[in-house]
Structure formats: structure tokens, C-alpha cells
């Protein structure tokens, strides 16, 4: 994400620790999903009785501080005309161009908050999808093998890297990604929506202004829609036209309609390419003598659905 947004690897930025960054992003996700009494009694808002706003503000301040340093550095380089423009045609550069236009309505604070939105929305979701996919593949070695064979068939046994153009020729990889998004949907209730008018739905009235949460997690495990919903079976998608792009309501990990995730194309590319690279290039061994079938697959609830126990596995370069 940091490479796409501002051409740098945040892990190496100014001594900043990736672990610390991860903790902030996870903290935001957890905080956002905690029930807050203020949502039911808005009059209590100024008292912040659970301290949620105070904690959230602390997280946001830390990230905004880091981003502000990056923006400052980029503005300095632009002013000195030291930038190799080819190197820096990234999201930040486009945003700064708009910001620096005469009479621009986009200010530095807007840029910082947009970067924050993109980061918080894009980082965690993409990485946990890959983590769940790897965990399921390790637990299901025959599916891992099938995927390895497909990748080997398309990419060959040499060191060829998977690229975006390969994705359409890798149906089993696509099926693994879809099945992961069904079974471990990263944002189990989407983001909160609000109905703009009274709506009749299946005999119920959803009143105007009601906050609406869509339980995508339950849809993904509904036995009236999916056979063996609690099993990881990528094959179910090989013969099916169901996709996650918002047209098939059985599978809407990115939402649907006007509020559908704007990062879908980026997530699509990133997940397929990273997962393909991990599986094609390496064999994986679980740490501490763990057995794949005993992997803890319990979920940790937040705005995003994490694995309660992080997956820890050691890569061993595949000898083709
Ligand atoms: C597996 C990866 C991802 C999943 C599952 C996912 C899912 C979602 C979902 C469910 C929503 C809310 C849609 C709704 O309420 O109907 C959303 C919103 C959003 N996503 Fe993603 N997302 C992913 C990756 C990304 C990436 C990579 C970015 C940015 C680079 C991104 C940026 C956003 C933004 C900015 C919003 C808010 C849109 C709004 O407020 O209307 N997402 N995403």
C-alpha cells in the first residue's frame, strides 16, 4: 500500500516499526467495531464515557503525523525540483498536483485524511485476506498442491514472477481468492449504511435514518445458498459465474451499489499476485512443530475479521 500511495516502503521509513504501524491499524479496526453507548444516546457524546473517541484520536494522530512527514518531504523535493518525475508518479503526487492548483479546494489536511482513509481501508483488509487464504491452503495440502501445479503450468518452473496479465489464466487461484472472501469475509458487516427513506423489505419496514449493517459473514455461511458452507472448497467457484464485483448478492465482500469498495481493483490485483507469489515460489512449514490440521482458525472480531492467532510459517524456496 505504501509503495502504491507514495512510492516507499513504510517499514523502512525513519526508523518506524512495521509492528507499531500494524498495531495502530488493528487498534482502529477494533475500536471502530466496539459497541459504543454514545451511538444509542448521542447526548453522551461530549463525555465520551467509554474513552473510545480519545483512543481513536490517539491512533489517528500518530498516523497523520507520519503521513505529514512524508508530504513535507515530497513538497521539499518538488520545490527543489529534485524529483525524478518518472519515479514518483504515484497517488501522493497526483493529490499534491491537485492541492497545489490555483484556487484548489483540496487542502493539505484533506490530502492527509484521504491517505489515512485509503490506508486504513486497504491495508488490513488485503493482508488478512492473504493470511486466511494461506492458513486454509496449509490446512488443505491437496488444494495447495493443486494451486502450485496450476501456477507451475502457467508460469513454468523457472523463476518467472506472477504478473497481473497471468491472473485470468489462473482459474484455481481465482477460486481460492473467492472462497477465502466467502468463508473469511474481511469486513463482516460492511460499513454502516443509513436508509434515506422508509423502505419495505421482506415484510419489514426499515425506517428512514435507521443505521443498517449488512451481515455478509452470515450470507457467506448460509446453507440455503452454499453447500457445505463451513468447508473451504474453492472448487465450488470453478463451474460458477458468481463473482464478488457487486452483481451477485450471495458474495458481496466489497459491498455493492454506489458504496461499493473503491479499492476493489487494487485489492483484486494485490491479493492474486501476492498469494500467487507466496505459493509459487515457496514451500511452507508451520513453526513450533504445529500440525496443519490443528491450526487455530478462530476469529477475532473487529471492523475487520482477523485470525485470532496470527499465522506463523517459514518459507522454504521451492526447488523446481
Ligand atoms: C480484500 C480487500 C478489501 C475488502 C474486502 C474491502 C471491502 C470494503 C467494504 C465491504 C467496504 C464498504 C462497502 C459498503 O459499505 O457497502 C469498503 C469501503 C472502502 N474501501 Fe475497501 N476493501 C478492500 C480493499 C480496499 C483497498 C485496497 C482500498 C484502497 C486502496 C480500499 C478503500 C476503501 C474505501 C476508501 C472505502 C470507503 C468507501 C465509502 O466510504 O463509501 N479498500 N471496502
Amino acid at each position: 500500500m505504501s509503495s502504491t500511495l507514495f512510492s516507499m516502503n513504510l517499514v523502512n521509513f525513519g526508523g518506524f516499526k512495521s509492528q507499531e504501524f500494524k498495531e495502530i491499524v488493528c487498534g482502529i479496526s477494533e475500536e471502530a467495531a466496539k459497541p459504543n453507548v454514545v451511538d444509542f444516546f448521542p447526548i453522551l457524546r461530549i463525555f465520551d464515557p467509554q474513552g473510545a473517541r480519545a483512543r481513536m484520536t490517539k491512533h489517528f494522530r500518530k498516523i497523520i503525523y507520519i503521513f505529514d512527514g512524508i508530504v513535507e518531504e515530497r513538497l521539499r523535493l518538488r520545490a527543489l525540483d529534485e524529483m525524478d518525475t518518472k519515479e514518483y508518479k504515484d497517488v501522493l503526487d497526483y493529490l499534491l498536483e491537485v492541492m497545489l492548483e490555483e484556487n484548489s479546494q483540496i487542502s493539505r489536511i484533506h490530502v492527509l485524511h484521504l491517505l489515512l482513509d485509503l490506508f486504513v481501508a486497504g491495508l488490513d483488509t488485503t493482508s488478512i485476506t492473504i493470511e486466511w487464504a494461506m492458513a486454509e491452503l496449509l490446512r488443505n495440502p491437496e488444494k495447495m498442491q493443486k494451486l502450485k501445479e496450476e501456477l507451475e503450468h502457467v508460469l513454468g518452473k523457472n523463476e518467472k514472477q506472477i504478473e497481473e496479465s497471468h491472473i485470468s489464466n489462473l482459474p484455481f487461484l481465482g477460486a481460492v481468492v473467492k472462497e477465502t472472501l466467502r468463508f473469511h469475509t474481511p469486513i463482516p458487516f460492511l460499513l454502516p449504511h443509513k436508509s434515506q427513506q422508509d423502505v419495505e423489505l421482506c415484510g419489514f419496514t426499515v425506517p428512514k435514518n435507521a443505521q443498517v449493517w449488512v451481515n455478509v459473514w452470515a450470507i457467506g455461511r448460509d446453507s440455503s445458498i452454499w453447500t457445505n458452507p463451513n468447508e473451504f472448497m474453492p472448487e465450488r467457484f470453478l463451474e460458477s459465474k458468481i463473482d464478488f464485483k457487486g452483481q451477485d448478492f450471495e458474495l458481496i465482500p466489497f459491498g455493492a451499489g454506489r458504496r461499493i469498495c473503491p479499492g476493489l481493483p487494487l485489492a483484486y490485483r494485490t491479493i492474486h499476485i501476492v498469494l500467487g507469489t507466496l505459493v509459487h515460489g515457496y514451500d511452507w512449514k508451520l513453526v513450533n512443530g504445529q500440525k496443519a490440521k490443528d491450526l487455530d482458525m478462530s476469529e477475532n472480531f473487529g471492523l475487520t475479521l482477523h485470525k485470532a492467532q496470527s499465522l506463523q510459517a517459514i518459507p522454504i524456496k521451492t526447488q523446481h
Side-chain angles (χ1 to χ4, degrees), residues 11-27:
V11 178
N12 302 322
F13 180 69
F16 190 74
K17 309 246 176 5
S18 59
Q19 184 58 29
E20 195 181 345
F21 202 82
K22 190 176 167 190
E23 275 164 25
I24 302 175
V25 174
C26 292

Side-chain angles (χ1 to χ4, degrees), residues 1 5 114 117-127 129 181 185-187 189-193 214 216 252-264 266-268 270-271:
M1 282 299 293
L5 294 184
L114 185 54
D117 271 359
L118 294 178
F119 235 91
V120 173
L123 192 68
D124 206 21
T125 42
T126 310
S127 65
T129 306
L181 289 166
T185 196
I187 310 192
F189 289 102
L190 302 182
L191 295 184
H193 289 231
V214 180
V216 182
I252 49 167
F254 295 93
R258 282 184 293 175
R259 286 285 302 281
I260 195 169
C261 170
L264 195 159
L266 178 60
Y268 175 87
T270 313
I271 296 170

Side-chain angles (χ1 to χ4, degrees), residues 162-171 173-174 268-269 272-273:
I162 174 169
E163 288 172 15
E164 192 178 346
S165 56
H166 295 125
I167 298 175
S168 55
N169 295 325
L170 294 162
L173 175 64
Y268 175 87
R269 253 175 286 154
H272 285 82
I273 290 178

